[in-house]
Amino acid sequence: MAEDIYLDNHATTAVDPRVVEAMLPTMLSEYANAGSITHQPGRRAAQRIQEHKEQMLYLLGAQHAELIFTSGATESINLALFGIALHPRQKRRTVLVGKIDHKAVLDCARKLSKQGLNVQTIDLVKNQPADLLPCVGIYDLEALGEQLTDDVAIVSLILGNNEIGSLQDMRPIAELCHQHGAILHLDATQAIGKIPFDAQAVGADLVSFSAHKFYGPKGVGGLLICNDTIQLSPVIVGGGQQNNLRSGTLNTAGIVGMARALEISVAQLDAELPMVYSLRDRLWQKLKTRIDGLKLNGPDWKTLPPSDPTVLQRLPGNLNVRFPNVDGQSLMLKVPSLAVSSGSACTSAEPAPSHVLIGIGLSQDQARSSLRFGIGRFNTETQIDQAADRIVSAYAELLHFVA
Ligand SMILES: Cc1ncc(COP(=O)(O)O)c(C=O)c1O
């Protein structure tokens, strides 16, 4: 049986062994409830959480922000969108969300719409001429400017797209939102730990993320609140933890692990980003030269990583391609040893083609013939070469079958 090759690092990443090492002592001996501050072990747990919160705020360029610990990005996004839009003192009734954002955002928006809010989607920049499709997945600032009225409560946009890797230039978007008194929520789930991130420089008000996307444990994430005038309603109520904004016993070991994972990611970003970028390029070159008519979905890149990573237009480890005359799902099933995806992890069980690929202008068939590769910290050149070989031969077999 062929050895597994994991190229699904957008769905989740392996926990870095250094993270496990940091979590173990907390799990074994610091198990007290951080809410039990009447005794010493509880106070120690609370202290441990506070230290790691401050470390994370520093690493995210958000020293003056608040960080609410959650179970992951989905919960953070729910808290951001419902928390702002449904706050009892919220007068504004419009919510704007990105057309190719993650389902977690789009489903919250759908629910808000059912509750009577005016929900609109933000469109993408069109190619010139405008009917030249697909486009690369960058949000249209001009169109957003027209949608932004003084009725907009919150704008939610994805920073790094989980399917096609497109990266948005958020600073001008934040400025535009603030000119209109709207709050900007950033879904930075795929970007944090993968590209340089500084919350203050970006100017977002709320930022969602999950630890398991940057080699931390599953089941823990955060919502940064970078603007202290924000009024947020809780979504989860109960014990009143975290200033009543998110009840529930804090996951001490998870938080310690998440902080350690972020620390490692930030510390080795300068070395890891070009490494992952080059592996992605290697895979693309190896597939492109051997499969006639293979097409890239999402933004293009130069072969060499840029010396200034802030100019990146695509997540370094993301590759999304469409195969001529072959269904992506069938191709994927033909190489089960290769962990790749035919859509986002949360939607890959759905038979419908990806809303992101349709959103950039692909036909249903083109979307169905696409695969997403997510390259990460633990991949090697040998794995990339083997992955390319397996895809190329599976593709040739399927094509033969189709013909
Ligand atoms: C961009 C983006 N946002 C949100 C999420 C949801 O994250 P989680 O499943 O960790 O809650 C994901 C996960 O795939 C994602 O890629």
Side-chain angles (χ1 to χ4, degrees):
M1 212 161 50
E3 202 178 313
D4 289 351
I5 300 177
Y6 190 78
L7 295 180
D8 203 10
N9 284 283
H10 299 302
T12 193
T13 56
V15 184
D16 191 301
R18 292 166 288 182
V19 169
V20 178
E21 213 175 289
M23 290 172 72
L24 267 178
T26 311
M27 294 180 95
L28 293 173
S29 47
E30 295 191 353
Y31 45 78
N33 190 323
S36 305
I37 49 169
T38 49
H39 52 66
Q40 223 160 265
R43 279 203 293 273
R44 260 200 312 273
Q47 175 64 22
R48 174 80 71 225
I49 287 170
Q50 185 58 26
E51 285 162 12
H52 286 84
K53 182 195 273 198
E54 283 166 18
Q55 182 195 21
M56 288 192 68
L57 287 171
Y58 172 76
L59 292 170
L60 294 168
Q63 283 96 322
H64 305 297
E66 178 53 287
L67 172 57
I68 303 296
F69 293 113
T70 64
S71 61
T74 300
E75 187 193 324
S76 305
I77 291 166
N78 274 259
L79 177 56
L81 270 79
F82 294 126
I84 294 291
L86 301 180
H87 190 277
R89 289 208 213 114
Q90 181 60 264
K91 300 271 187 309
R92 297 175 175 223
R93 303 285 297 160
T94 300
V95 172
L96 305 181
V97 294
K99 177 180 180 179
I100 58 166
D101 272 35
H102 192 270
K103 284 270 185 177
V105 167
L106 299 182
D107 283 355
C108 287
R110 202 162 294 137
K111 201 163 170 193
L112 287 170
S113 167
K114 282 192 184 142
Q115 295 183 26
L117 277 93
N118 171 27
V119 173
Q120 297 174 20
T121 50
I122 304 161
D123 214 339
L124 301 168
V125 175
K126 306 237 173 3
N127 288 333
Q128 291 305 328
D131 54 357
L132 193 68
L133 291 170
C135 53
V136 293
I138 302 297
Y139 283 112
D140 188 343
L141 202 61
E142 242 181 79
L144 172 62
E146 283 164 23
Q147 286 171 292
L148 270 164
T149 64
D150 61 7
D151 190 51
V152 177
I154 183 166
V155 174
S156 184
L157 283 173
I158 191 165
L159 174 56
N161 190 275
N162 51 305
E163 294 194 42
I164 56 167
S166 48
L167 285 165
Q168 312 294 327
D169 183 5
M170 283 296 174
R171 181 80 210 176
I173 294 179
E175 283 168 6
L176 197 58
C177 291
H178 294 157
Q179 279 164 24
H180 294 269
I183 285 162
L184 175 64
H185 166 249
L186 216 60
D187 176 2
T189 312
Q190 294 289 343
I192 284 181
K194 310 288 178 46
I195 57 165
F197 181 81
D198 184 311
Q200 201 170 354
V202 168
D205 301 294
L206 295 166
V207 181
S208 292
F209 56 91
S210 268
H212 72 102
K213 305 287 187 182
F214 52 89
Y215 311 94
K218 292 170 185 54
V220 61
L223 178 69
L224 279 179
I225 306 178
C226 305
N227 171 345
D228 59 13
T229 67
I230 278 181
Q231 294 185 316
L232 205 60
S233 285
V235 170
I236 296 178
V237 293
Q241 288 91 342
Q242 305 198 71
N243 294 328
N244 272 319
L245 281 174
R246 199 279 191 178
S247 287
T249 300
L250 282 161
N251 175 358
T252 316
I255 291 165
V256 167
M258 173 160 68
R260 179 73 180 124
L262 185 64
E263 184 184 29
I264 295 167
S265 296
V266 170
Q268 59 187 59
L269 194 62
D270 284 352
E272 189 169 298
L273 190 155
M275 185 279 279
V276 169
Y277 187 105
S278 304
L279 290 180
R280 183 258 313 267
D281 191 58
R282 188 180 181 97
L283 181 59
W284 169 233
Q285 300 297 342
K286 284 194 177 284
L287 293 175
K288 187 172 73 161
T289 49
R290 291 156 74 192
I291 297 178
D292 265 356
L294 188 76
K295 291 277 191 295
L296 184 68
N297 296 324
D300 204 350
W301 63 86
K302 299 211 163 46
T303 294
L304 289 178
S307 51
D308 173 8
T310 60
V311 303
L312 284 173
Q313 296 204 332
R314 185 172 186 131
L315 287 167
N318 174 275
L319 177 66
N320 193 314
V321 293
R322 56 185 193 277
F323 294 84
N325 305 317
V326 153
D327 177 60
Q329 189 91 13
S330 315
L331 185 55
M332 198 172 71
L333 294 175
K334 211 148 176 52
V335 272
S337 59
L338 204 60
V340 294
S341 163
S342 62
S344 67
C346 316
T347 53
S348 55
E350 286 179 16
S354 140
H355 72 281
V356 175
L357 298 180
I358 298 295
I360 59 170
L362 294 188
S363 68
Q364 301 245 338
D365 281 350
Q366 287 174 321
R368 283 206 173 88
S369 69
S370 298
L371 281 187
R372 174 188 76 176
F373 300 85
I375 294 146
R377 177 177 298 167
F378 299 112
N379 291 126
T380 61
E381 286 188 355
T382 309
Q383 286 182 331
I384 294 297
D385 296 352
Q386 288 175 357
D389 288 347
R390 288 183 207 175
I391 287 281
V392 169
S393 56
Y395 176 73
E397 273 180 49
L398 277 179
L399 209 56
H400 179 70
F401 186 67
V402 171

